[in-house]
């Protein structure tokens, strides 16, 4: 299974990709498709943020468990 960091990086890459696609579609006259791409970008950013928080909490739990084991 891939680590959360890989998913966070993928979420960031997809976010940038969807923002770029939205800019292209707005400039070519397809505002509905551009808004849809901005929605996907927001969803990617939110997913990356949630994974970041979960990864940080997981590291804190591991560190606490190691301290308690000592």
């Amino acid at each position: 299974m891939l680590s959360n960091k890989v998913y966070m990086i993928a979420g960031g890459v997809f976010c940038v990709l969807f923002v770029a696609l939205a800019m292209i579609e707005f400039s070519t006259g397809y505002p509905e498709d551009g808004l849809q791409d901005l929605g996907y970008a927001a969803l990617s950013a939110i997913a990356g943020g949630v994974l970041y928080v979960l990864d940080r909490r997981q590291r804190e739990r591991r560190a606490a468990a190691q301290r308690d084991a000592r």
Side-chain angles (χ1 to χ4, degrees), residues 9-52:
I9 292 169
V13 168
F14 283 126
C15 182
V16 171
L17 173 69
F18 283 125
V19 168
L21 287 174
M23 289 173 32
I24 291 169
E25 288 173 348
F26 279 129
S27 68
T28 57
Y30 295 100
E32 309 87 28
D33 294 336
L35 287 175
Q36 184 179 15
D37 286 341
L38 286 178
Y40 290 145
L43 186 63
S44 299
I46 290 168
V50 167
L51 286 172
Y52 173 76

